[in-house]
Amino acid sequence: MTPSPLAGGPTGPHALRPLLDTVLEALHTGAKERGGPFPAGGPDTQAARVQAALGDVLPAHGTGDHEALRTLVHTMAAGAADPAEPLCAAHLHCPPLAVATAADLAASTLNPSLDSWDQAPAASALEHLLTRALAAEFYDTPYPDALVTTGGTEANQLALLLARERHGPHLTVLHGAAAHHSIPRAAWLLGLPPAIALPTPTGTLAPTDLAQALATTPGPVLVTATAGTTDAGLIDPLHAIADLCDHYGADLHIDAAYGGLLTLSPRHRHKLAGLDRAHSITVDLHKLGWQPVAAGLLTVPDTALLAPLAHQADYLNATDDTDAGLPDLLGRSLRTTRRPDAFKIAATLRSLGRDGLAQLIDHTCDLADHLARLLDAHPRFELHSAPTISTVLFRPTDADDTQVAALRRTLLHEGRAVLGRTHTAGRLWLKATLLNPHTTAGDLDTLIALLEGSTHR
Protein backbone atom coordinates (compact mmCIF):
# COMPACT_ATOMS: atom_id res chain seq x y z
CA MET A 1 0.00 0.00 0.00
CA THR A 2 1.39 3.41 -1.00
CA PRO A 3 1.68 5.74 2.01
CA SER A 4 -0.52 8.84 1.99
CA PRO A 5 1.54 11.75 0.62
CA LEU A 6 3.09 14.35 2.89
CA ALA A 7 2.48 18.10 2.63
CA GLY A 8 6.13 19.04 3.04
CA GLY A 9 9.36 18.05 1.40
CA PRO A 10 10.30 18.28 -2.28
CA THR A 11 7.17 16.43 -3.47
CA GLY A 12 4.74 18.08 -1.03
CA PRO A 13 3.59 20.94 -3.30
CA HIS A 14 2.80 18.48 -6.09
CA ALA A 15 0.70 16.39 -3.67
CA LEU A 16 -1.09 19.44 -2.33
CA ARG A 17 -2.03 21.09 -5.62
CA PRO A 18 -4.80 18.66 -6.71
CA LEU A 19 -6.11 18.44 -3.15
CA LEU A 20 -6.38 22.22 -3.02
CA ASP A 21 -8.46 22.15 -6.18
CA THR A 22 -10.83 19.75 -4.43
CA VAL A 23 -10.94 21.91 -1.31
CA LEU A 24 -11.62 25.13 -3.23
CA GLU A 25 -14.38 23.54 -5.27
CA ALA A 26 -16.00 22.12 -2.11
CA LEU A 27 -15.82 25.53 -0.43
CA HIS A 28 -17.63 26.95 -3.45
CA THR A 29 -20.36 24.30 -3.60
CA GLY A 30 -20.87 24.37 0.17
CA ALA A 31 -21.31 28.15 0.23
CA LYS A 32 -23.69 27.90 -2.72
CA GLU A 33 -25.80 25.32 -0.88
CA ARG A 34 -25.87 27.50 2.24
CA GLY A 35 -26.98 30.46 0.16
CA GLY A 36 -26.43 33.13 2.79
CA PRO A 37 -24.62 34.07 5.97
CA PHE A 38 -25.85 31.15 8.07
CA PRO A 39 -27.32 27.68 7.52
CA ALA A 40 -31.09 27.50 7.94
CA GLY A 41 -32.84 25.01 10.17
CA GLY A 42 -31.43 25.31 13.67
CA PRO A 43 -29.15 23.05 15.76
CA ASP A 44 -30.98 19.74 15.27
CA THR A 45 -31.09 20.17 11.49
CA GLN A 46 -27.39 20.97 11.32
CA ALA A 47 -26.43 18.08 13.59
CA ALA A 48 -28.43 15.69 11.42
CA ARG A 49 -26.81 17.00 8.22
CA VAL A 50 -23.31 16.58 9.64
CA GLN A 51 -24.11 13.09 10.93
CA ALA A 52 -25.50 12.05 7.55
CA ALA A 53 -22.46 13.37 5.69
CA LEU A 54 -19.88 12.00 8.11
CA GLY A 55 -21.34 8.58 8.76
CA ASP A 56 -18.63 6.55 10.47
CA VAL A 57 -16.09 8.92 11.99
CA LEU A 58 -13.48 6.14 11.80
CA PRO A 59 -14.52 3.83 8.95
CA ALA A 60 -12.98 0.41 8.56
CA HIS A 61 -11.77 1.38 5.10
CA GLY A 62 -10.88 4.90 4.01
CA THR A 63 -12.62 6.71 1.18
CA GLY A 64 -9.50 8.44 -0.13
CA ASP A 65 -8.19 11.97 0.13
CA HIS A 66 -10.38 13.61 -2.51
CA GLU A 67 -13.67 12.09 -1.36
CA ALA A 68 -12.94 12.86 2.29
CA LEU A 69 -12.11 16.49 1.51
CA ARG A 70 -14.96 16.94 -0.95
CA THR A 71 -17.53 15.62 1.51
CA LEU A 72 -16.31 17.23 4.71
CA VAL A 73 -15.28 20.62 3.33
CA HIS A 74 -18.60 20.91 1.51
CA THR A 75 -20.47 19.97 4.68
CA MET A 76 -18.54 22.44 6.82
CA ALA A 77 -18.98 25.27 4.31
CA ALA A 78 -22.69 24.56 3.89
CA GLY A 79 -23.10 24.65 7.66
CA ALA A 80 -20.84 27.61 8.43
CA ALA A 81 -21.51 30.98 9.96
CA ASP A 82 -19.51 32.76 7.29
CA PRO A 83 -18.03 36.07 8.48
CA ALA A 84 -17.26 36.96 4.86
CA GLU A 85 -21.02 37.33 4.30
CA PRO A 86 -22.04 40.95 5.03
CA LEU A 87 -25.08 39.93 7.10
CA CYS A 88 -22.98 37.74 9.41
CA ALA A 89 -22.20 40.43 11.97
CA ALA A 90 -22.80 39.06 15.46
CA HIS A 91 -19.41 38.68 17.04
CA LEU A 92 -15.79 39.81 16.99
CA HIS A 93 -15.30 37.14 14.33
CA CYS A 94 -13.59 38.57 11.29
CA PRO A 95 -13.41 37.29 7.72
CA PRO A 96 -9.73 36.40 7.20
CA LEU A 97 -7.82 37.94 4.35
CA ALA A 98 -6.92 35.60 1.51
CA VAL A 99 -3.23 36.43 1.84
CA ALA A 100 -3.26 35.51 5.54
CA THR A 101 -5.08 32.25 4.86
CA ALA A 102 -2.64 31.32 2.09
CA ALA A 103 0.26 32.08 4.44
CA ASP A 104 -1.37 29.89 7.08
CA LEU A 105 -1.41 27.02 4.59
CA ALA A 106 2.34 27.40 4.09
CA ALA A 107 2.87 27.42 7.84
CA SER A 108 0.76 24.27 8.25
CA THR A 109 2.66 22.59 5.45
CA LEU A 110 6.07 23.22 6.97
CA ASN A 111 4.70 22.68 10.51
CA PRO A 112 7.41 24.45 12.53
CA SER A 113 6.93 24.32 16.28
CA LEU A 114 8.20 27.30 18.21
CA ASP A 115 9.33 25.54 21.34
CA SER A 116 12.93 25.00 20.20
CA TRP A 117 15.12 26.62 17.58
CA ASP A 118 15.98 23.32 15.89
CA GLN A 119 12.27 22.88 15.04
CA ALA A 120 11.79 26.38 13.65
CA PRO A 121 14.95 28.21 12.58
CA ALA A 122 13.41 30.72 10.16
CA ALA A 123 10.04 30.90 11.91
CA SER A 124 11.63 31.77 15.24
CA ALA A 125 13.70 34.54 13.65
CA LEU A 126 10.61 35.91 11.93
CA GLU A 127 8.60 35.86 15.16
CA HIS A 128 11.41 37.70 16.95
CA LEU A 129 11.34 40.50 14.36
CA LEU A 130 7.54 40.67 14.15
CA THR A 131 6.84 40.78 17.88
CA ARG A 132 9.30 43.56 18.51
CA ALA A 133 8.07 45.58 15.54
CA LEU A 134 4.45 45.31 16.65
CA ALA A 135 5.30 46.04 20.27
CA ALA A 136 6.97 49.25 19.09
CA GLU A 137 3.60 50.36 17.70
CA PHE A 138 2.30 50.51 21.27
CA TYR A 139 5.37 51.49 23.31
CA ASP A 140 8.00 54.14 22.54
CA THR A 141 10.59 52.47 24.76
CA PRO A 142 14.07 51.04 24.10
CA TYR A 143 13.12 47.34 24.37
CA PRO A 144 9.40 46.74 23.81
CA ASP A 145 8.37 43.14 23.29
CA ALA A 146 5.34 40.97 22.63
CA LEU A 147 4.33 37.34 22.97
CA VAL A 148 2.19 35.61 20.35
CA THR A 149 -0.90 34.11 21.99
CA THR A 150 -4.02 32.24 20.93
CA GLY A 151 -6.08 35.36 21.56
CA GLY A 152 -7.25 37.80 24.18
CA THR A 153 -8.05 35.19 26.80
CA GLU A 154 -4.54 33.75 26.85
CA ALA A 155 -2.98 37.22 26.69
CA ASN A 156 -5.07 38.40 29.65
CA GLN A 157 -4.13 35.30 31.63
CA LEU A 158 -0.46 35.95 30.94
CA ALA A 159 -0.83 39.59 32.01
CA LEU A 160 -2.32 38.57 35.35
CA LEU A 161 0.33 35.88 35.78
CA LEU A 162 3.14 38.37 35.24
CA ALA A 163 1.50 40.79 37.68
CA ARG A 164 1.19 38.01 40.27
CA GLU A 165 4.88 37.20 39.85
CA ARG A 166 5.73 40.87 40.41
CA HIS A 167 3.53 41.32 43.48
CA GLY A 168 2.76 37.92 44.99
CA PRO A 169 -0.38 35.81 45.48
CA HIS A 170 -2.36 38.46 47.36
CA LEU A 171 -2.71 40.69 44.30
CA THR A 172 -6.22 42.13 43.92
CA VAL A 173 -7.59 42.64 40.42
CA LEU A 174 -9.99 45.53 39.84
CA HIS A 175 -11.92 45.69 36.58
CA GLY A 176 -15.02 47.27 35.13
CA ALA A 177 -18.18 45.20 34.93
CA ALA A 178 -17.99 45.46 31.12
CA ALA A 179 -14.51 43.89 31.03
CA HIS A 180 -13.97 40.60 29.22
CA HIS A 181 -14.95 37.53 31.22
CA SER A 182 -11.40 36.17 30.93
CA ILE A 183 -10.18 38.72 33.51
CA PRO A 184 -12.02 37.35 36.58
CA ARG A 185 -11.54 33.84 35.25
CA ALA A 186 -7.78 34.35 35.05
CA ALA A 187 -7.74 35.55 38.66
CA TRP A 188 -9.53 32.33 39.63
CA LEU A 189 -7.19 30.14 37.58
CA LEU A 190 -4.12 31.78 39.14
CA GLY A 191 -5.33 31.40 42.70
CA LEU A 192 -5.63 35.15 43.26
CA PRO A 193 -8.30 36.72 45.45
CA PRO A 194 -11.63 37.00 43.61
CA ALA A 195 -11.45 39.85 41.12
CA ILE A 196 -13.56 42.88 42.02
CA ALA A 197 -15.93 44.17 39.34
CA LEU A 198 -16.69 47.88 39.51
CA PRO A 199 -20.02 49.11 38.12
CA THR A 200 -20.06 50.52 34.60
CA PRO A 201 -23.56 51.99 34.20
CA THR A 202 -22.44 53.99 31.16
CA GLY A 203 -20.47 51.06 29.76
CA THR A 204 -17.00 52.29 30.75
CA LEU A 205 -15.00 52.33 33.96
CA ALA A 206 -15.61 55.63 35.76
CA PRO A 207 -12.49 57.21 37.32
CA THR A 208 -14.48 58.25 40.41
CA ASP A 209 -15.51 54.64 41.11
CA LEU A 210 -11.99 53.42 40.48
CA ALA A 211 -10.50 56.07 42.78
CA GLN A 212 -12.80 54.98 45.60
CA ALA A 213 -11.92 51.33 45.07
CA LEU A 214 -8.18 52.03 44.98
CA ALA A 215 -8.40 54.08 48.14
CA THR A 216 -10.09 51.23 50.03
CA THR A 217 -8.38 48.15 48.59
CA PRO A 218 -5.40 46.99 50.67
CA GLY A 219 -2.26 45.41 49.29
CA PRO A 220 -1.00 45.26 45.72
CA VAL A 221 -3.56 45.97 43.01
CA LEU A 222 -3.77 45.36 39.27
CA VAL A 223 -6.30 47.51 37.42
CA THR A 224 -7.51 46.15 34.10
CA ALA A 225 -9.02 48.65 31.70
CA THR A 226 -10.63 47.90 28.34
CA ALA A 227 -10.09 49.44 24.92
CA GLY A 228 -13.00 47.95 23.02
CA THR A 229 -15.61 46.18 25.15
CA THR A 230 -17.20 43.07 23.70
CA ASP A 231 -20.74 44.33 24.24
CA ALA A 232 -20.52 47.82 22.71
CA GLY A 233 -16.93 48.42 21.61
CA LEU A 234 -16.41 51.17 24.21
CA ILE A 235 -13.03 52.43 25.39
CA ASP A 236 -12.34 53.24 29.03
CA PRO A 237 -10.82 56.68 29.84
CA LEU A 238 -7.26 55.39 29.70
CA HIS A 239 -5.30 58.50 30.72
CA ALA A 240 -7.50 59.12 33.75
CA ILE A 241 -7.23 55.48 34.80
CA ALA A 242 -3.45 55.53 34.34
CA ASP A 243 -3.23 58.69 36.47
CA LEU A 244 -5.08 56.96 39.29
CA CYS A 245 -2.86 53.88 39.02
CA ASP A 246 0.20 56.11 39.28
CA HIS A 247 -1.25 57.93 42.28
CA TYR A 248 -2.13 54.76 44.21
CA GLY A 249 0.83 52.65 43.07
CA ALA A 250 -1.28 50.13 41.16
CA ASP A 251 -0.24 48.28 38.03
CA LEU A 252 -2.30 48.75 34.87
CA HIS A 253 -3.17 46.18 32.22
CA ILE A 254 -5.28 47.21 29.21
CA ASP A 255 -7.28 44.67 27.28
CA ALA A 256 -7.22 46.16 23.78
CA ALA A 257 -8.02 42.90 22.02
CA TYR A 258 -10.70 44.65 19.97
CA GLY A 259 -9.48 48.24 19.73
CA GLY A 260 -5.70 47.90 19.80
CA LEU A 261 -5.18 47.92 16.03
CA LEU A 262 -6.77 51.40 15.84
CA THR A 263 -3.23 52.55 16.57
CA LEU A 264 -2.43 51.89 12.89
CA SER A 265 -5.05 54.41 11.74
CA PRO A 266 -4.12 58.11 11.80
CA ARG A 267 -7.86 58.87 11.94
CA HIS A 268 -8.65 56.70 14.94
CA ARG A 269 -5.51 56.23 17.02
CA HIS A 270 -6.44 59.23 19.22
CA LYS A 271 -9.12 57.02 20.77
CA LEU A 272 -6.31 55.01 22.39
CA ALA A 273 -4.59 57.95 24.09
CA GLY A 274 -2.99 56.62 27.27
CA LEU A 275 -2.65 53.05 26.02
CA ASP A 276 1.15 53.22 26.22
CA ARG A 277 1.00 53.83 29.97
CA ALA A 278 0.00 50.24 30.69
CA HIS A 279 2.34 47.61 32.11
CA SER A 280 0.90 45.23 29.51
CA ILE A 281 -1.55 45.34 26.60
CA THR A 282 -3.64 42.62 25.00
CA VAL A 283 -4.17 42.87 21.23
CA ASP A 284 -5.97 40.52 18.82
CA LEU A 285 -5.21 40.49 15.13
CA HIS A 286 -8.04 38.05 14.46
CA LYS A 287 -10.41 40.95 15.01
CA LEU A 288 -9.46 44.23 13.29
CA GLY A 289 -6.36 42.56 11.79
CA TRP A 290 -8.34 40.11 9.60
CA GLN A 291 -6.26 37.06 10.48
CA PRO A 292 -7.42 33.45 10.66
CA VAL A 293 -7.77 32.32 14.27
CA ALA A 294 -5.54 32.41 16.22
CA ALA A 295 -3.52 35.63 16.23
CA GLY A 296 -3.21 37.32 19.62
CA LEU A 297 -0.49 39.34 21.32
CA LEU A 298 0.51 40.36 24.81
CA THR A 299 2.73 43.43 24.54
CA VAL A 300 4.97 44.89 27.24
CA PRO A 301 7.19 48.02 27.34
CA ASP A 302 10.35 46.09 28.22
CA THR A 303 11.34 42.53 27.43
CA ALA A 304 12.68 42.18 30.98
CA LEU A 305 9.06 42.07 32.20
CA LEU A 306 8.73 38.65 30.54
CA ALA A 307 11.57 37.13 32.61
CA PRO A 308 9.22 35.21 34.98
CA LEU A 309 8.17 33.02 32.04
CA ALA A 310 11.69 31.60 31.65
CA HIS A 311 11.65 27.81 31.76
CA GLN A 312 14.20 25.07 31.15
CA ALA A 313 13.74 21.61 29.67
CA ASP A 314 17.00 19.96 28.69
CA TYR A 315 15.68 18.41 25.49
CA LEU A 316 14.47 21.81 24.23
CA ASN A 317 16.84 24.47 25.61
CA ALA A 318 19.84 22.77 27.14
CA THR A 319 22.11 25.22 28.91
CA ASP A 320 25.14 24.43 26.78
CA ASP A 321 23.08 24.93 23.58
CA THR A 322 21.87 28.29 24.86
CA ASP A 323 25.40 29.27 25.88
CA ALA A 324 26.54 28.33 22.39
CA GLY A 325 24.08 30.79 20.87
CA LEU A 326 20.99 28.73 20.03
CA PRO A 327 17.91 30.87 20.76
CA ASP A 328 15.84 29.90 23.80
CA LEU A 329 12.14 29.89 22.81
CA LEU A 330 10.59 28.14 25.78
CA GLY A 331 10.01 31.31 27.78
CA ARG A 332 8.02 32.88 24.94
CA SER A 333 4.81 31.09 25.91
CA LEU A 334 3.22 28.83 28.51
CA ARG A 335 2.56 26.42 25.65
CA THR A 336 5.18 23.97 24.46
CA THR A 337 4.21 22.98 20.92
CA ARG A 338 3.26 26.24 19.24
CA ARG A 339 2.23 27.14 15.69
CA PRO A 340 4.04 29.92 13.77
CA ASP A 341 1.05 32.27 13.93
CA ALA A 342 3.41 35.19 13.45
CA PHE A 343 3.97 34.08 9.86
CA LYS A 344 0.50 34.89 8.51
CA ILE A 345 0.62 38.22 10.34
CA ALA A 346 3.98 39.05 8.76
CA ALA A 347 2.67 38.14 5.30
CA THR A 348 -0.33 40.42 5.81
CA LEU A 349 1.78 43.36 7.02
CA ARG A 350 4.12 42.99 4.05
CA SER A 351 1.26 42.68 1.57
CA LEU A 352 -0.91 45.56 2.77
CA GLY A 353 1.55 47.80 4.56
CA ARG A 354 0.58 50.34 7.18
CA ASP A 355 -1.57 52.35 4.78
CA GLY A 356 -3.45 49.30 3.50
CA LEU A 357 -4.40 48.16 6.99
CA ALA A 358 -5.38 51.70 7.96
CA GLN A 359 -7.72 51.85 4.97
CA LEU A 360 -9.43 48.61 6.03
CA ILE A 361 -9.81 49.87 9.60
CA ASP A 362 -11.15 53.25 8.50
CA HIS A 363 -13.63 51.73 6.07
CA THR A 364 -14.92 49.31 8.70
CA CYS A 365 -15.44 52.11 11.22
CA ASP A 366 -17.14 54.23 8.52
CA LEU A 367 -19.57 51.38 7.84
CA ALA A 368 -20.54 51.28 11.51
CA ASP A 369 -21.12 55.03 11.52
CA HIS A 370 -23.27 54.72 8.38
CA LEU A 371 -25.37 51.90 9.88
CA ALA A 372 -25.85 53.91 13.07
CA ARG A 373 -27.11 56.90 11.08
CA LEU A 374 -29.55 54.70 9.15
CA LEU A 375 -30.95 53.21 12.36
CA ASP A 376 -31.11 56.55 14.14
CA ALA A 377 -33.15 58.04 11.30
CA HIS A 378 -35.50 55.05 11.04
CA PRO A 379 -38.78 55.35 12.96
CA ARG A 380 -38.97 51.63 13.69
CA PHE A 381 -35.56 51.33 15.37
CA GLU A 382 -33.84 52.80 18.40
CA LEU A 383 -30.08 53.35 18.33
CA HIS A 384 -28.29 52.88 21.62
CA SER A 385 -25.44 55.30 20.87
CA ALA A 386 -22.97 56.28 18.17
CA PRO A 387 -20.33 53.55 17.70
CA THR A 388 -16.86 53.98 19.16
CA ILE A 389 -15.24 51.38 16.93
CA SER A 390 -17.41 49.14 14.74
CA THR A 391 -20.13 47.82 17.05
CA VAL A 392 -23.68 49.14 16.69
CA LEU A 393 -26.35 48.45 19.32
CA PHE A 394 -30.01 48.91 18.41
CA ARG A 395 -33.50 47.46 18.92
CA PRO A 396 -36.95 47.68 17.36
CA THR A 397 -38.81 50.55 19.00
CA ASP A 398 -42.01 48.61 19.74
CA ALA A 399 -40.46 45.33 20.92
CA ASP A 400 -39.87 44.08 24.45
CA ASP A 401 -36.81 42.03 25.42
CA THR A 402 -38.53 38.71 24.73
CA GLN A 403 -39.45 39.85 21.24
CA VAL A 404 -35.92 41.14 20.57
CA ALA A 405 -34.45 37.77 21.55
CA ALA A 406 -37.00 35.93 19.44
CA LEU A 407 -36.27 38.14 16.42
CA ARG A 408 -32.58 37.30 16.60
CA ARG A 409 -33.28 33.57 16.85
CA THR A 410 -35.74 33.70 13.96
CA LEU A 411 -33.14 35.30 11.70
CA LEU A 412 -30.66 32.60 12.75
CA HIS A 413 -33.14 29.77 12.20
CA GLU A 414 -33.96 31.08 8.73
CA GLY A 415 -30.26 31.60 7.94
CA ARG A 416 -30.86 35.18 6.81
CA ALA A 417 -28.72 37.21 9.25
CA VAL A 418 -26.44 36.69 12.23
CA LEU A 419 -26.69 39.41 14.86
CA GLY A 420 -25.42 39.42 18.42
CA ARG A 421 -27.21 40.38 21.62
CA THR A 422 -26.23 42.19 24.79
CA HIS A 423 -27.88 43.58 27.91
CA THR A 424 -27.07 47.19 28.67
CA ALA A 425 -29.00 50.16 30.06
CA GLY A 426 -31.42 47.66 31.57
CA ARG A 427 -32.60 46.27 28.23
CA LEU A 428 -31.70 43.70 25.60
CA TRP A 429 -30.18 45.09 22.41
CA LEU A 430 -29.31 43.61 19.05
CA LYS A 431 -25.64 43.95 18.19
CA ALA A 432 -24.11 44.37 14.75
CA THR A 433 -20.34 43.98 14.88
CA LEU A 434 -19.03 45.15 11.54
CA LEU A 435 -15.65 43.59 10.75
CA ASN A 436 -16.06 42.89 7.04
CA PRO A 437 -14.25 45.57 5.02
CA HIS A 438 -16.04 44.39 1.86
CA THR A 439 -19.47 45.24 3.25
CA THR A 440 -21.16 48.00 1.28
CA ALA A 441 -23.78 50.63 2.04
CA GLY A 442 -26.15 48.54 -0.07
CA ASP A 443 -25.58 45.55 2.23
CA LEU A 444 -26.56 47.71 5.19
CA ASP A 445 -29.71 48.79 3.38
CA THR A 446 -30.50 45.11 2.87
CA LEU A 447 -30.03 44.44 6.58
CA ILE A 448 -32.36 47.30 7.52
CA ALA A 449 -35.00 46.09 5.07
CA LEU A 450 -34.71 42.54 6.36
CA LEU A 451 -35.08 43.65 9.98
CA GLU A 452 -37.97 45.95 9.12
CA GLY A 453 -39.79 43.13 7.38
CA SER A 454 -39.17 40.75 10.28
CA THR A 455 -40.53 43.20 12.86
CA HIS A 456 -43.82 43.39 10.94
CA ARG A 457 -44.55 39.69 11.36
Side-chain angles (χ1 to χ4, degrees), residues 329-349:
L329 307 182
L330 208 52
R332 303 293 298 176
S333 177
L334 293 182
R335 293 171 284 153
T336 303
T337 301
R338 193 160 60 82
R339 296 186 78 251
D341 288 317
F343 182 70
K344 62 195 175 192
I345 301 171
T348 301
L349 298 183

Side-chain angles (χ1 to χ4, degrees), residues 415-441:
R416 298 200 292 169
V418 190
L419 295 172
R421 54 179 286 169
T422 189
H423 273 96
T424 188
R427 294 190 292 171
L428 181 66
W429 299 80
L430 296 173
K431 177 172 67 170
T433 309
L434 300 181
L435 289 179
N436 186 342
H438 288 263
T439 298
T440 66

Side-chain angles (χ1 to χ4, degrees), residues 387-410:
T388 301
I389 306 177
S390 67
T391 300
V392 182
L393 302 186
F394 65 98
R395 52 181 287 136
T397 52
D398 297 326
D400 59 24
D401 284 2
T402 300
Q403 292 168 323
V404 171
L407 169 61
R408 175 182 174 273
R409 288 191 293 269
T410 296

Side-chain angles (χ1 to χ4, degrees), residues 74-265:
H74 175 97
T75 300
M76 186 166 68
D82 188 354
E85 289 277 353
L87 300 192
C88 186
H91 302 287
L92 289 165
H93 177 204
C94 74
L97 295 169
V99 64
T101 303
D104 217 17
L105 170 64
S108 293
T109 297
L110 296 167
N111 207 30
S113 178
L114 278 91
D115 49 314
S116 65
W117 182 83
D118 59 357
Q119 299 176 80
S124 61
L126 182 144
E127 183 182 87
H128 174 89
L129 295 170
L130 177 91
T131 50
R132 282 149 182 83
L134 287 177
E137 294 294 322
F138 300 95
Y139 291 110
D140 184 16
T141 52
Y143 305 106
D145 204 350
L147 301 178
V148 177
T149 70
T150 54
T153 293
E154 184 187 351
N156 286 337
Q157 289 172 355
L158 282 170
L160 267 65
L161 172 62
L162 292 172
R164 186 193 70 179
E165 295 307 290
R166 289 194 298 271
H167 298 289
H170 302 296
L171 176 74
T172 299
V173 178
L174 300 179
H175 64 88
H180 194 261
H181 63 84
S182 62
I183 297 294
R185 193 179 192 202
W188 167 70
L189 282 169
L190 293 167
L192 297 172
I196 298 174
L198 304 179
T200 53
T202 63
T204 57
L205 181 56
T208 51
D209 292 332
L210 177 60
Q212 182 178 0
L214 286 170
T216 57
T217 302
V221 173
L222 174 70
V223 174
T224 65
T226 306
T229 59
T230 53
D231 57 354
L234 302 179
I235 298 174
D236 287 338
L238 303 181
H239 266 313
I241 290 171
D243 286 344
L244 287 169
C245 289
D246 288 347
H247 180 74
Y248 287 97
D251 281 7
L252 174 61
H253 169 65
I254 299 177
D255 179 358
Y258 180 11
L261 265 290
L262 293 178
T263 192
L264 297 180
S265 166

